[in-house]
Amino acid sequence: MGASKIIDYTEEQILVAKYAKALSHPARMAIMQLLLSKHSCICGDIVDELPISQSTVSQHLKELKEAGLIRGQIDGVSICYCINEPEWSKLTELLGHFFEKRHVKTNSCC
Amino acid sequence: MGASKIIDYTEEQILVAKYAKALSHPARMAIMQLLLSKHSCICGDIVDELPISQSTVSQHLKELKEAGLIRGQIDGVSICYCINEPEWSKLTELLGHFFEKRHVKTNSCC
DNA sequence: ATCATTTATCGTAATATTACGATTGATATG
DNA sequence: CATATCAATCGTAATATTACGATAAATGAT
C-alpha cells in the first residue's frame, strides 16, 4: 500500500530541528542578535541587556554553546562570547536553502 | 555605565523564537517538508510517513496549526493539511532576512 | 441503523525547559 | 593575603513537551 513508512527522521530534519530549538527562545534570539550586531565580542554585558537573571542567561549561553552556535573565551575575569562562524555558516546555508527557494502555490484543498 | 538594560524582548525576537519553536522537532520538520514537497495536500498519510503514533502526530499538527504554519480542511472523512501560505511567507521573509545578510567577520577575541 | 475509518482529544507518565537564588571557582585588585 | 568581581554550577520549583494507548466524534459505506 503506502509507499514509504519512514524508519527515522533524516539527518537534515534532525539538524534543522536542532538549530531551530537553539533559537526557540526569545532570550537566545536576543543573545544571537547582540553577538551578530557587535563587531567585537560581548561578555557579561549580555546579562545587563537581558531581562532575566545571570544564572538564567548563563544557562541560555550554555545551550547556544552546546548547539555549536557560539563560542566563549576567557578574557581576564570575564568571558568573551562570539558567533561560531563555521557553524553559523552551516546554519544559514541550511536554513537559507530551506526557506528561500520554497515556493508554495495555493493548493487545491486548503 | 551600561547603556541599555532592555525591559523586554522585541517583537521580532518573540516572533522568530515562536517560528523556531514550531520547527524545533524533527517530526514537525518532517511534516513541513512533506507538505512543502507535495504539490497537493496531504492528510493522514502523514501518520504513515512518520515513525510515531497517530495521536502524537496529531499533537504535532496541532502545534504547527497553532503557530499558523499549516491549515487543515475537512475532506470527507479525512483532513487535508497544507502550508498556510501567507504565514509561511512571513516566516521565510523574516528568517531569510535574518539568516541571509548576516556576515560575521572573525572577531578579535574568539 | 450498523459498522469501519479517520482524526482529535483525554488521561497519564516520563522527561525537558525555564527560572531563580545561593554557592563555587577563577581572576583581578587592594 | 584579603576582597571584589565575573561567570558557571547546584539545588529546586514550576511548567512544558513528548509520547502513548484509549476513547470520542464525525463521516462514509453497507
Side-chain angles (χ1 to χ4, degrees), chain A residues 5-6 49 73 80 109, chain B residues 5-6 48-49 73 80 109:
Chain A
K5 171 76 176 179
I6 69 170
E49 297 270 356
Q73 189 158 47
C80 182
C109 61
Chain B
K5 171 75 174 179
I6 67 170
D48 294 331
E49 297 270 356
Q73 190 161 48
C80 182
C109 61

Side-chain angles (χ1 to χ4, degrees), chain B residues 2-84:
Chain B
S4 54
K5 171 75 174 179
I6 67 170
I7 309 289
D8 208 355
Y9 304 112
T10 67
E11 284 302 317
E12 189 190 47
Q13 284 158 0
I14 292 169
L15 190 56
V16 174
K18 188 192 82 169
Y19 288 143
K21 187 171 188 179
L23 300 173
S24 72
H25 192 287
R28 293 194 288 272
M29 279 300 304
I31 291 170
M32 292 303 288
Q33 284 194 307
L34 256 176
L35 296 182
L36 285 166
S37 69
K38 305 280 185 184
H39 53 299
S40 75
C41 292
I42 319 207
C43 330
D45 298 321
I46 299 171
V47 172
D48 294 331
E49 297 270 356
L50 298 200
I52 48 180
S53 75
Q54 179 264 319
S55 58
T56 304
V57 170
S58 190
Q59 226 172 256
H60 284 302
L61 286 169
K62 191 181 177 188
E63 280 183 73
L64 289 171
K65 225 186 320 179
E66 281 170 355
L69 299 185
I70 65 174
R71 291 185 301 152
Q73 190 161 48
I74 297 170
D75 177 27
V77 79
S78 306
I79 296 193
C80 182
Y81 281 101
C82 64
I83 301 295
N84 182 13

Side-chain angles (χ1 to χ4, degrees), chain A residues 10-86:
Chain A
T10 68
E11 285 301 318
E12 189 190 45
Q13 284 158 0
I14 291 168
L15 191 56
V16 174
K18 188 192 82 167
Y19 289 142
K21 187 171 188 179
L23 300 173
S24 71
H25 192 286
R28 294 194 288 271
M29 278 302 303
I31 291 170
M32 292 303 288
Q33 284 194 307
L34 256 176
L35 295 182
L36 285 166
S37 69
K38 306 279 186 185
H39 53 297
S40 76
C41 293
I42 319 204
C43 329
D45 299 320
I46 300 170
V47 172
D48 295 331
E49 297 270 356
L50 299 200
I52 48 179
S53 76
Q54 180 264 319
S55 58
T56 304
V57 169
S58 190
Q59 223 172 260
H60 285 301
L61 286 169
K62 191 181 177 189
E63 279 183 75
L64 289 171
K65 224 186 319 178
E66 281 170 356
L69 299 185
I70 66 174
R71 290 185 302 152
Q73 189 158 47
I74 297 169
D75 177 26
V77 78
S78 307
I79 296 193
C80 182
Y81 281 100
C82 64
I83 300 296
N84 182 11
E85 176 45 31

